[in-house]
Amino acid sequence: MSTHRIECTVNGEAHSVEVPARRLLADFLRDDLHLTGTKRGCETGICGACSVLLDGEVVKSCLMLAVQVNGRELTTIEGLAEGDELHPLQKNFMQCGGLQCGYCTPGFIMASCDLLKNNPRPSCDEVRHGLSGNLCRCTGYTQIVESVLHAAEEMNHGD
Amino acid sequence: MKPLAKAVPEGVQPAQPHSTLGVEIPQVTARAKVLGRAMYAGDIKVAGMLHGKVLRSPYPHARIVSIDTSAARALPGVKAVLTGDDAPAQLWGVHHKERAVLAKGVVRYCGEEVAAVAALTEEIARDALDLIQVEYEELPAILSIDESMDGEAPTVHPGRENNVGHEIRFERGDVDAAFASAHLVHEATYQTHSQYPGYMEPMATVAALDPDGRLVLWTSTQAVNLVRMQVAATLGLPVSRVRVIQATTGGGFGGKIVEDDNQLVAGLLALKTKRPVRLVNNRLEDFQACCASVPERITLRLGMDREGLIVAKEVRILAECGAYAGLAGDVMHVSAMRSDNMHRNGNVRSHATLYYTNNPPRGAFRGFGGTQMLFALNSHIHVMAGKLGLDPVEVHRRNVLPAGEVSVHGWQIGSNGLVECIEQATEAIGWAAKRSAPKAAGVKRRGVGMAAAMHVSGNRTIGNWDGSTVVVKINEDGRVNVISGECDMGQGASTMLSQIVAHELGLPLADVHVVPPDTDVAPVAVGTLASRVTMSGGNAAIVAGRKARDELFALAALRWEVEPSALSIGGGAVFVTDRPEQRATLAELARQAVWRHGGGGIQVSGTWDPKTVMHDDQLYGNIAPAYSYAAQAVEVEVDCETGRVTVLDSYVADDCGKALNPIAVHGQSNGAAAQAIGWALYEQLHYENGRLANGNFADYTLPTADALPELRGGLVESNDPNGPYGAKGASETAILPGAPAIANAVEDAVGVRITELPITPEKVLAALRARKEEGAAHA
Amino acid sequence: MREFDWLEPASVEEASRMLADLGDEVRVIAGGTALMLGMRQRMLAPTHLISVAKIERLRGIGFDAAQGLRIGALARHSDVARSPLVQQHAPVLASMAARVANPQVRNQGTIGGNLCYADPSTDPPGCLMALDAQVVLGSVRGERVLSIEEFLVDYYVTALEPDEIVLEIRVPPLAAGTEGVYSRFLRTAAEHRPLASVALVARREGALCREARIAVGASTPIPTRLRCAETFLEGRSVTPEVAAEVADIVAQDITPVEDLRGSADFRRDMVRAVARRTVAELFGLSIDQGVPA
């Protein structure tokens, strides 16, 4: 079994870690870098609780190997806030009831980042399709959609 | 897009600038979660922690001939391999102690725990499972209720004749005479299927021994005390030598009460290895380990008069608990009698039987037996209304047992917003116009349906105590700790407790901290089930909050030499009502409390137990302090060519008594409605010879964001006399009307009645074909 | 997941030599979404994973008038969906790519990886078949070109030689007046994989169909070209009744699979419905007309 030195940037911080080839990216983040905000929720790549940004685009970290991110940039939920200042998505998920148990929330927020980057003014339907790779069992999605739309409005006014 | 509303309701006294009662606020737990800092059990790392894995039976019924663990134990990194021989002789279970922590000699369902491994890494533990050699002798398996009922069937449990886990029979009034005099009698059989709770965080526990050798469990749970009792009793430890701490819990919905083996196996591994052990299900394991909801076959017969008043009801329920009964008997109890209490009808007869099979165990899930029966009842009412030429809304309204009355089973209805719920929901969906509109002739046809439901806010039958105790501790900085054993699994219990204590003490919400339930310090608590926490925990928080306030007043009274009755509290301070400039902050008073002769910190305990009773042996008695109601109206579109049913619009009106946090109540209504739609249309567990064939999220399809409409809803505030500020539970009632509303809407759309859930495309197409053939035959 | 060695060849030749040398238990990985699922559940346990992520030859999307679109094997579904060249020269392909799986998988999964894994329940193969796409394969022995139909042999089986990798996918230029519709049918809105798909690429003049290519996917082990239905359509003026007849022919002509997600009969009925609606959509007809009795 091969081991590899992974050099990558996570939330703006450079890391250099030796990992076995079979280390999943999700486990690399959670167990090697101790960033447990990214969650494991299923075994079939469906739930999206493991979603992170790779070079700014949302992927499922349980479907990637750590060796695949050598030389690349990752953003996890822990990297969104600026100090104590919450990212508009984090703030609006809180205020609009976009989370209850919170387990799916980091994944939803990361997927929403990607969605709004590609489509800063999405319709309700576009939000729902853009989040079709994430499952929530608590909210029924209505307040998640509201959270994203409110965040989008806030982010667009900043322009 | 709906703007956020912020309004402090009138009539909340005394006027509190900080009070958040009735205001839309974020959950107090939300910030940690959106930052990714919240610690769920699977996030916890303890030095020297081992990783556990469970080997599960591949057969639904088999004798364990032999288990050879030598190769597994020899694998480097493996620290323990346990089998049934290592498990305690004490069996566990809810009412029937009939389950071994690890199977002893026989397995009764595919997925049953046979062996457990603890190793240095999860991968090594997983590899070790493959090295455990188990020789099974397959035995005949009972895989359906019909097989279980067969007189010749082998028994699932020795000594349990007829494979019956529980039976209920009761009768009130004169049922036969009532049927004889009824204008319309209708009978039909309904079939409801099992639903997997599908919480996003799979079951997880970290178990460890503390330096004094006590067993500590950080776990994902709804009920720390029930877990402690079960672990202590089963593993043979005094209750006080077991400590259960609720980790942030990623959803439960009834599936994380006490029907899971996870804490027992984790505890056993920790005791044997004397090291911390992490036992986290992956999703495939969780599908096998978690109890899905109880499937029921319900034969319902109702008699109505000409105006749609129900005069007689008879129901025969055949329910399945699978291999182990768990809470399934309690679930069936709810199916057998709860919905009777919605209506005036006094002639009821019920016979319900719970059968064991070699399918995986079934148990508690949101709705707890109400979902099953209300599917039958609401479908039935819709059909009978049609036969009488009446609007189902009218029939529902006529039958409602209003507030102030006592039901057929002795339930005292303190508040009832059901009629308003029905009106709100049907108006929102455009009921009258859509029902009377001519049906379109294309391949896609639309229809509307509605349903009504009742649930409890609390339930004394758990064990003759439905109360709660909350401790309020005022720190020397004037901020407050709230300590209770009632669990927040995402629904917002911690926020509710914070709001109430903050209100009573005139503090900003941020100054109140709810301590995660820990059995070492929390008062004993029943836990989060039966929609009881707002009612009992909330009322206890009021008692505790006022006791703390009274202690503060006593201190201030000393300080200023006034009577306590001359004082008020608000804005973070106690002040003389007529001279508000004479004030002291809570911090000043808290310090004053300590540093004096006879001093000490301010820490008070408030208990509240509803004045309810256990039901008698005829199931009669007022068992809950309040009853909650909900109604739902939906519009569906049926594609006649593909059989697909799409919910276009859904409106749930929820009588929550009083909405202490409207966002939270809406969140509960939406989540419940989504689960109901999933149950009705999208979710089905498939078994092949007793083995779960689709136990993963790719094949067992929960609703996604693009499979649901924008779920709409409203609140009805019936102001319950027993509830904290009038509030009742508001989490389960909203799941109850969804499936029948959809079934009724499908009938409105295309004229076919589906009585067997889920409503699949295949069933819709088959029903359409049958109706066409029938029509052709009559032509 | 079992242990394995991770290799990152920098060229096609290097990858090919590794494949030849390392024996049977070797897999090529591009994005890895499908592979990871199989490996995590221990259904696949390769001893080596050969990543093609560093091979430049596999990257990029281009167009030339002779060969048409040239899509590197490493193009992700999101790259295909967003590519101005694909949107211009084969818009149906971009439309299909925008709907594959979910946003995260589209950002990671590749068109080459998808074809090589040959999972019957995915979108790209059927759509590519209706576009008469070709697959360019490379090894130490050079390059060769196969049609999609030659490349896809059976479910999870392709015509790749043991030491070959997919380099690029070519979509020949479409004649003027050609339109395409890709329909992906889910049994219910909550499902994640299509139960049936129909790809229709047709050259039309108003209601008249000059040329048609129809491929059914997801309900058969490999996508099926429906040449009978194509022949029936060509030269015909398409009305709702014609759409229904084409759909019947399509439904008769396939051998649908039977599994937990749907019986063969149900799949056949769904293919019929989807085919009818796909034809109707391309020719601007209402789906409410021509419904079979």
Side-chain angles (χ1 to χ4, degrees):
Chain A
M1 172 185 71
S2 56
T3 61
H4 302 264
R5 179 146 290 272
I6 308 300
E7 318 238 330
C8 60
T9 306
V10 182
N11 301 330
E13 193 180 320
H15 291 276
S16 178
V17 183
E18 187 96 1
V19 297
R22 68 174 174 176
R23 177 82 84 243
L24 284 182
L25 177 59
D27 295 336
F28 172 69
L29 293 168
R30 288 174 51 78
D31 299 331
D32 293 296
L33 301 186
H34 309 293
L35 295 167
T36 56
T38 303
K39 307 297 182 200
R40 296 283 305 271
C42 77
E43 293 306 300
T44 41
I46 296 286
C47 78
C50 66
S51 300
V52 297
L53 298 182
L54 177 62
D55 296 331
E57 294 180 306
V58 71
V59 294
K60 293 187 177 178
S61 64
C62 79
L63 295 181
M64 289 194 99
L65 295 166
V67 289
Q68 289 177 281
V69 304
N70 190 28
R72 302 177 73 174
E73 265 188 51
L74 288 154
T75 312
T76 70
I77 188 72
E78 292 94 339
L80 277 195
E82 305 255 336
D84 274 339
E85 179 91 21
L86 294 178
H87 185 281
L89 279 166
Q90 290 170 309
K91 191 165 73 140
N92 283 284
F93 265 73
M94 274 180 64
Q95 290 181 346
C96 301
L99 70 147
Q100 292 178 25
C101 84
Y103 199 76
C104 73
T105 305
F108 264 97
I109 290 180
M110 302 321 286
S112 301
C113 280
D114 184 278
L115 165 69
L116 292 180
K117 182 175 61 99
N118 291 322
N119 187 354
R121 287 169 180 79
S123 65
C124 277
D125 278 348
E126 286 168 341
V127 173
R128 286 177 181 272
H129 286 298
L131 297 178
S132 61
N134 292 71
L135 288 180
C136 174
R137 195 53 154 172
C138 291
T139 67
Y141 305 104
T142 295
Q143 285 154 315
I144 289 179
V145 174
E146 275 173 30
S147 303
V148 175
L149 293 175
H150 275 280
E153 200 177 285
E154 193 178 313
M155 288 161 72
N156 291 329
H157 281 155
D159 293 339
Chain B
M1 180 174 65
K2 174 173 82 83
L4 294 177
K6 289 200 191 306
V8 179
E10 301 169 60
V12 173
Q13 34 159 299
Q16 291 282 13
H18 292 304
S19 179
T20 63
L21 292 183
V23 178
E24 293 189 342
I25 51 158
Q27 301 281 8
V28 297
T29 54
R31 192 181 167 89
K33 290 171 180 174
V34 298
L35 285 168
R37 292 182 192 161
M39 295 295 279
Y40 300 79
D43 298 330
I44 293 173
K45 294 185 170 97
V46 178
M49 188 169 79
L50 300 174
H51 296 260
K53 275 273 175 221
V54 173
L55 182 69
R56 297 176 178 278
S57 162
Y59 299 111
H61 195 201
R63 192 169 71 84
I64 299 174
V65 176
S66 68
I67 307 186
D68 182 356
T69 60
S70 51
R73 274 183 282 117
L75 186 67
V78 171
K79 299 300 176 188
V81 182
L82 307 181
T83 68
D85 288 342
D86 305 296
Q90 174 63 54
L91 302 179
W92 67 279
V94 179
H95 302 288
H96 307 304
K97 306 285 183 234
E98 57 193 2
R99 234 180 126 156
V101 177
L102 295 171
K104 289 175 178 297
V106 65
V107 288
R108 296 192 177 87
Y109 71 96
C110 181
E112 180 159 6
E113 300 80 7
V114 170
V117 172
L120 292 177
T121 70
E122 201 170 319
E123 287 289 351
I124 295 173
R126 175 66 186 83
D127 289 337
L129 290 186
D130 286 345
L131 297 175
I132 301 174
Q133 317 267 27
V134 186
E135 196 190 326
Y136 293 99
E137 180 201 327
E138 273 191 84
L139 299 171
I142 297 171
L143 298 177
S144 72
I145 289 179
D146 291 319
E147 285 171 48
S148 184
M149 288 169 66
D150 185 323
E152 309 296 309
T155 53
V156 177
H157 289 276
R160 278 216 176 274
E161 323 168 5
N162 309 319
N163 287 318
V164 171
H166 190 49
E167 188 144 18
I168 296 171
R169 284 187 111 113
F170 63 81
E171 184 161 343
R172 291 203 222 287
D174 191 338
V175 176
D176 295 321
F179 271 121
S181 70
H183 173 71
L184 174 67
V185 175
H186 179 62
E187 178 172 315
T189 298
Y190 302 86
Q191 188 83 47
T192 64
H193 64 303
S194 229
Q195 182 169 23
Y196 169 63
Y199 36 70
M200 280 303 122
E201 181 218 5
M203 192 60 205
T205 301
V206 175
L209 298 179
D210 75 5
D212 295 317
R214 298 165 74 235
L215 181 62
V216 182
L217 302 168
W218 291 270
T219 187
S220 188
T221 183
Q222 300 173 217
V224 287
N225 257 97
L226 297 182
V227 170
R228 181 170 86 144
M229 277 165 44
Q230 182 178 89
V231 168
T234 310
L235 299 185
L237 299 167
V239 138
S240 59
R241 300 278 300 167
V242 177
R243 178 182 182 190
V244 179
I245 301 165
Q246 187 203 4
T248 305
T249 298
F253 314 114
K256 287 181 179 170
I257 304 175
V258 269
E259 296 171 291
D260 203 299
D261 200 26
N262 189 277
Q263 291 108 352
L264 291 166
V265 175
L268 188 66
L269 285 170
L271 287 169
K272 296 286 186 182
T273 59
K274 308 241 181 302
R275 284 175 68 159
V277 175
R278 172 184 187 269
L279 185 64
V280 175
N281 286 350
N282 69 31
R283 183 59 64 181
L284 308 180
E285 291 162 340
D286 200 272
F287 262 98
Q288 295 196 71
C290 174
C291 291
S293 67
V294 178
E296 296 181 7
R297 187 186 309 162
I298 299 170
T299 302
L300 177 63
R301 195 159 148 247
L302 283 188
M304 283 184 180
D305 71 10
R306 254 171 235 285
E307 278 80 48
L309 194 67
I310 299 169
V311 298
K313 174 211 161 190
E314 175 162 18
V315 70
R316 177 81 178 98
I317 298 175
L318 301 175
E320 181 186 345
C321 61
Y324 299 104
L327 286 164
D330 305 87
V331 169
M332 188 182 75
H333 178 122
V334 169
S335 304
M337 55 87 75
R338 183 167 294 180
S339 58
D340 298 340
N341 301 286
M342 277 170 76
H343 298 146
R344 300 179 170 284
N345 172 37
N347 304 306
V348 298
R349 180 190 293 141
S350 186
H351 181 196
T353 316
L354 182 70
Y355 285 99
Y356 286 104
T357 64
N358 291 113
N359 286 321
R362 303 308 191 204
F365 176 66
R366 192 178 201 165
F368 206 85
T371 14
Q372 295 88 328
M373 186 62 216
L374 286 162
F375 172 69
L377 182 62
N378 281 288
S379 299
H380 219 71
I381 288 177
H382 183 106
V383 169
M384 292 180 78
K387 288 176 189 275
L388 291 172
L390 297 171
D391 188 333
V393 166
E394 215 25 65
V395 174
H396 277 286
R397 264 210 282 257
R398 245 163 233 172
N399 281 285
V400 169
L401 183 75
E405 307 235 6
V406 178
S407 78
V408 61
H409 298 305
W411 290 17
Q412 294 164 18
I413 312 298
S415 65
N416 186 338
L418 183 56
V419 172
E420 203 182 322
C421 287
I422 293 173
E423 282 167 4
Q424 206 186 85
T426 50
E427 165 125 3
I429 214 80
W431 180 257
K434 288 182 176 159
R435 263 175 60 95
S436 56
K439 293 294 170 208
V443 279
K444 299 187 185 187
R445 316 243 170 115
R446 297 185 174 189
V448 291
M450 57 78 62
M454 174 195 202
H455 200 68
V456 295
S457 289
N459 192 338
R460 191 160 209 92
T461 60
I462 295 156
N464 203 18
W465 183 55
D466 190 18
S468 189
T469 302
V470 169
V471 168
V472 167
K473 170 179 168 171
I474 305 184
N475 295 284
E476 300 91 273
D477 61 0
R479 293 185 179 83
V480 171
N481 287 9
V482 174
I483 307 164
S484 98
E486 311 293 4
C487 295
D488 192 328
M489 48 180 175
Q491 87 283 22
S494 297
T495 306
M496 175 274 299
L497 292 173
S498 302
Q499 285 181 283
I500 288 177
V501 172
H503 175 79
E504 292 299 326
L505 293 177
L507 288 171
L509 200 62
D511 280 2
V512 179
H513 171 69
V514 176
V515 176
D518 174 344
T519 56
D520 261 8
V521 287
V524 72
V526 172
T528 302
L529 41 111
S531 295
R532 58 181 297 284
V533 175
T534 294
M535 178 61 68
S536 289
N539 273 317
I542 293 177
V543 176
R546 289 179 185 170
K547 270 193 186 177
R549 178 202 61 193
D550 291 344
E551 289 214 4
L552 289 165
F553 281 3
L555 287 162
L558 271 179
R559 197 178 176 104
W560 300 321
E561 293 174 344
V562 296
E563 286 302 309
S565 56
L567 298 170
S568 293
I569 189 166
V574 171
F575 57 93
V576 176
T577 313
D578 297 331
R579 276 194 324 273
E581 63 278 8
Q582 182 117 60
R583 60 196 288 111
T585 64
L586 266 63
E588 287 167 334
L589 293 169
R591 286 196 293 272
Q592 174 191 333
V594 179
W595 304 110
R596 61 190 170 113
H597 190 69
I602 302 178
Q603 181 160 326
V604 300
S605 171
T607 299
W608 188 85
D609 189 21
K611 293 180 175 36
T612 51
V613 300
M614 289 284 275
H615 59 69
D616 63 21
D617 59 10
Q618 290 304 302
L619 305 187
Y620 190 89
N622 186 43
I623 51 104
Y627 301 98
S628 43
Y629 298 85
Q632 182 171 6
V634 300
E635 184 178 10
V636 305
E637 183 175 83
V638 180
D639 186 323
C640 297
E641 212 180 352
T642 65
R644 265 176 64 151
V645 175
T646 304
V647 178
L648 297 176
D649 191 10
S650 162
Y651 192 102
V652 173
D654 193 310
D655 169 19
C656 57
K658 181 119 197 94
L660 299 180
N661 180 356
I663 292 190
V665 181
H666 282 302
Q668 289 297 292
S669 294
N670 291 340
Q675 289 174 2
I677 294 171
W679 189 52
L681 299 178
Y682 300 142
E683 300 176 40
Q684 188 168 21
L685 294 163
H686 288 288
Y687 293 89
E688 284 165 358
N689 299 317
R691 187 186 62 86
L692 180 59
N694 66 336
N696 65 76
F697 280 156
D699 297 316
Y700 180 90
T701 50
L702 304 190
T704 50
D706 56 354
L708 292 172
E710 185 199 331
L711 299 169
R712 303 193 290 142
L715 310 174
V716 170
E717 293 182 316
S718 61
N719 290 300
D720 193 86
N722 290 331
Y725 316 106
K728 300 190 278 195
S731 307
E732 288 185 90
T733 329
I735 199 177
L736 304 172
I742 291 172
N744 291 339
V746 168
E747 179 171 338
D748 187 51
V750 291
V752 299
R753 166 61 54 182
I754 308 289
T755 55
E756 184 184 319
L757 290 177
I759 300 171
T760 62
E762 291 89 343
K763 285 177 192 162
V764 171
L765 291 175
L768 286 171
R769 230 176 282 127
R771 198 173 66 115
K772 195 184 294 177
E773 277 157 24
E774 204 180 305
H778 288 323
Chain C
M1 173 159 25
R2 300 210 186 275
E3 297 178 352
F4 56 87
D5 281 354
W6 173 264
L7 301 163
E8 290 178 318
S11 70
V12 176
E13 290 70 31
E14 197 185 343
S16 179
R17 260 181 273 115
M18 284 177 180
L19 282 166
D21 293 342
L22 289 170
D24 288 338
E25 301 304 318
V26 175
R27 282 273 187 167
V28 172
I29 178 172
T33 54
L35 262 187
M36 281 304 104
L37 293 180
M39 288 173 68
R40 277 165 46 192
Q41 289 173 50
R42 299 188 170 205
M43 293 181 330
L44 303 168
T47 54
H48 298 77
L49 279 188
I50 297 175
S51 168
V52 291
K54 293 204 151 79
I55 304 178
E56 280 308 306
R57 172 72 178 85
L58 273 50
R59 290 196 180 277
I61 297 178
F63 177 85
D64 72 62
Q67 288 173 331
L69 276 170
R70 300 181 56 190
I71 303 172
L74 283 172
R76 301 167 304 160
H77 303 294
S78 55
D79 296 325
V80 174
R82 290 178 196 150
S83 159
L85 288 174
V86 177
Q87 287 174 3
Q88 183 188 353
H89 296 288
V92 65
L93 188 65
S95 159
M96 177 281 299
R99 287 177 280 157
V100 167
N102 56 68
Q104 291 92 328
V105 167
R106 293 196 284 275
N107 282 339
Q108 190 187 341
T110 64
I111 191 168
N114 172 272
L115 286 178
C116 291
Y117 200 68
D119 179 338
S121 309
T122 68
D123 303 282
C127 188
L128 288 167
M129 188 176 280
L131 287 166
D132 263 341
Q134 297 167 315
V135 188
V136 180
L137 312 176
S139 69
V140 288
R141 291 166 280 107
E143 296 184 6
R144 64 182 180 124
V145 181
L146 295 179
S147 69
I148 282 279
E149 287 163 80
E150 291 165 320
F151 181 75
L152 297 170
V153 171
D154 201 349
Y155 57 97
Y156 303 108
V157 180
T158 69
L160 277 168
E161 293 293 328
D163 66 343
E164 268 182 325
I165 60 173
V166 171
L167 305 183
E168 69 184 44
I169 290 91
R170 291 184 190 159
V171 178
L174 298 174
T178 306
E179 292 168 29
V181 171
Y182 176 74
S183 298
R184 124 190 254 263
F185 177 77
L186 303 178
R187 181 176 162 274
T188 74
E191 294 270 341
H192 302 285
R193 291 161 302 183
L195 187 78
S197 70
V198 172
L200 171 64
V201 175
R203 183 164 62 86
R204 65 175 233 186
E205 283 165 23
L208 183 62
C209 177
R210 286 262 173 241
E211 221 183 300
R213 294 197 293 266
I214 307 175
V216 164
S219 45
T220 52
I222 49 174
T224 311
R225 262 302 275 277
L226 283 316
R227 292 193 158 81
C228 275
E230 292 168 3
T231 309
F232 178 84
L233 252 186
E234 283 165 0
R236 223 173 271 262
S237 209
V238 180
T239 63
E241 291 68 35
V242 167
E245 256 190 277
V246 170
D248 274 335
I249 299 171
V250 168
Q252 306 307 345
D253 240 0
I254 56 164
T255 311
V257 298
E258 172 123 5
D259 65 17
L260 200 64
R261 296 166 63 220
S263 69
D265 281 341
F266 182 71
R267 279 187 159 92
R268 194 185 300 283
D269 287 340
M270 293 307 104
V271 166
R272 180 184 294 110
V274 178
R276 186 183 76 81
R277 294 175 184 200
T278 306
V279 173
E281 185 180 332
L282 197 143
F283 286 89
L285 306 168
S286 158
I287 63 166
D288 286 329
Q289 295 174 288
V291 187

